[in-house]
Amino acid sequence: MPFQLSVSSRGKIKGANFPLEINLPDDATLGMLRNGIYHLVPHLTLDRQRVTDVQKKPLLGDEKRLVELGVKSGDSLQVKDLGAQISWRTVFLVEYVGNKLTKFGPLFIHPIVYLIAPEIWRYFGHPFQASKLQEYVNIYSHRTTLILVMLHFLKRELETLFVHRFSNATMPMFNIFKNSAHYWLLSGVLLAVGVYSPYHGDKAVRRTYSNNPMFIGCMVAIWALAELGNLHSHLILRSLRPAGSRVRKIPYGGLFSLVSCPNYFFEVLAWAAVTVLTSSFAALLFTIVSAAQMTIWAIKKHKAYHREFAGQYPKDRKIMYPFIF
């Protein structure tokens, strides 16, 4: 007996007369329904569709049968056009490095600003000599902040390529401009210009803790532990999702015993260490903005865990900050 569904549109969708009347076999999956919508509305590709029930609850899992999702023959569903999409992997790569042509992003901006900053400041009458904060005291004479920032974003690049498994294949294309601005402008241009300047040169920090090798070493150690904790959290999440699937499981191990999103906590901790290390307003601004955004994401994920694993999810877990929130 055919599975009959009526699909109306949420918002304006050109090129089709809604509601769509779709007939499917009684064992039809969500993927078959979405392909049926695509067949009737060719520009509404699968990555642009969000199918919901009448209560606007999203139907997820293309491999799941419609009956498993609570859909019955004769039901009315809705579809929303999410607009042009771009893959999450591409988004992450562009946010941190840039596309293949321009190579912009923090990995490009920081070395450039580091190299040209002394000449620019000298041109404007503010020559300066690098401090220990800017110059990592070892035989290679690298810059502390430059190394930390470069390693952070290099780690994120490698995680994007080899660790992350995204629950959604794509995201709205507009978001790439919004997200990239966060990294390119705040952690790229603003942080680089703020740190590689006379305000953090040798004379400015000569009698401050920022010129103390022990203090610098402690901040670098905290940063390194936070980065390793972040990586460990990502590896735990990766182990829960088989390749090519959208499976979600309750994460355990590491700081997941205390919070739902330890990866975000460690990210904030790493940037907090950079902020204290540099005493930079630019670093503080980036850390505050990042922490606020990640806290919003963490709240949503925490609620999603409790909703999806009702009665099973650990009740004593905080959202993001251990023992606090």
Side-chain angles (χ1 to χ4, degrees):
M1 185 174 179
F3 204 91
Q4 299 177 330
L5 294 170
S6 175
V7 181
S8 59
S9 64
R10 287 184 60 190
K12 295 182 179 180
I13 300 178
K14 297 181 180 179
N17 294 319
F18 287 93
L20 307 175
E21 300 298 331
I22 299 178
N23 294 323
L24 299 167
D26 56 6
D27 61 348
T29 63
L30 177 61
M32 295 171 65
L33 169 61
R34 282 161 34 86
N35 274 293
I37 295 173
Y38 170 61
H39 178 74
L40 295 174
V41 191
H43 80 275
L44 202 58
T45 53
L46 300 187
D47 56 15
R48 294 178 66 135
Q49 297 179 26
R50 174 178 290 165
V51 181
T52 60
D53 59 20
V54 290
Q55 282 79 37
K56 298 183 180 181
K57 177 184 177 182
L59 302 181
L60 305 174
D62 282 352
E63 73 287 351
K64 293 183 178 179
R65 296 172 58 199
L66 291 171
V67 291
E68 294 179 63
L69 298 172
V71 179
K72 306 182 297 297
S73 181
D75 281 357
S76 295
L77 303 176
Q78 295 179 324
V79 62
K80 181 178 181 179
D81 184 358
L82 298 175
Q85 302 287 299
I86 188 170
S87 75
W88 274 98
R89 196 174 303 279
T90 300
V91 170
F92 273 46
L93 290 173
V94 171
E95 285 175 358
Y96 302 134
V97 177
N99 59 44
K100 294 181 179 179
L101 296 177
T102 60
K103 297 294 183 184
F104 286 148
L107 284 173
F108 177 83
I109 294 170
H110 274 263
I112 291 297
V113 175
Y114 158 74
L115 290 173
I116 68 174
E119 296 302 321
I120 292 177
W121 284 103
R122 187 175 294 110
Y123 177 81
F124 286 102
H126 298 284
F128 71 98
Q129 180 180 353
S131 64
K132 287 187 175 64
L133 169 64
Q134 296 170 321
E135 185 171 347
Y136 186 71
V137 187
N138 65 8
I139 60 174
Y140 300 109
S141 190
H142 291 314
R143 304 285 173 113
T144 309
T145 306
L146 177 65
I147 291 175
L148 299 190
V149 172
M150 295 293 285
L151 287 178
H152 172 81
F153 287 108
L154 179 60
K155 166 182 167 291
R156 297 301 299 267
E157 285 297 320
L158 294 174
E159 288 176 339
T160 298
L161 293 172
F162 303 112
V163 177
H164 292 317
R165 287 175 178 164
F166 303 103
S167 57
N168 294 318
T170 63
M171 67 175 287
M173 186 174 292
F174 171 76
N175 286 9
I176 194 171
F177 301 103
K178 178 184 67 176
N179 294 356
S180 294
H182 173 72
Y183 292 101
W184 293 19
L185 298 180
L186 289 183
S187 66
V189 175
L190 186 63
L191 180 59
V193 171
V195 172
Y196 313 130
S197 72
Y199 304 104
H200 299 286
D202 182 63
K203 289 184 179 179
V205 302
R206 185 169 295 172
R207 290 184 174 84
T208 70
Y209 59 82
S210 294
N211 203 43
N212 187 318
M214 181 175 294
F215 169 79
I216 296 173
C218 288
M219 290 301 103
V220 171
I222 292 173
W223 174 89
L225 290 174
E227 293 288 349
L228 289 174
N230 177 269
L231 173 60
H232 182 238
S233 301
H234 287 157
L235 291 174
I236 290 175
L237 292 173
R238 172 187 169 85
S239 69
L240 300 179
R241 176 172 291 155
S245 76
R246 300 174 65 178
V247 172
R248 287 171 58 88
K249 299 178 182 178
I250 300 176
Y252 291 97
L255 210 62
F256 279 108
S257 60
L258 297 178
V259 295
S260 293
C261 299
N263 49 321
Y264 294 156
F265 167 73
F266 284 122
E267 180 96 359
V268 172
L269 181 61
W271 281 110
V274 172
T275 300
V276 175
L277 174 68
T278 61
S279 299
S280 166
F281 172 78
L284 176 62
L285 177 61
F286 178 75
T287 301
I288 291 174
V289 173
S290 299
Q293 180 61 75
M294 284 186 278
T295 300
I296 292 172
W297 289 339
I299 292 171
K300 291 181 179 179
K301 290 190 176 185
H302 186 74
K303 289 181 177 178
Y305 277 134
H306 278 282
R307 183 170 59 249
E308 187 170 354
F309 304 105
Q312 303 176 47
Y313 197 73
K315 295 181 179 179
D316 56 346
R317 279 190 191 178
K318 298 295 184 181
I319 296 174
M320 178 174 162
Y321 301 98
F323 309 112
I324 301 173
F325 177 80

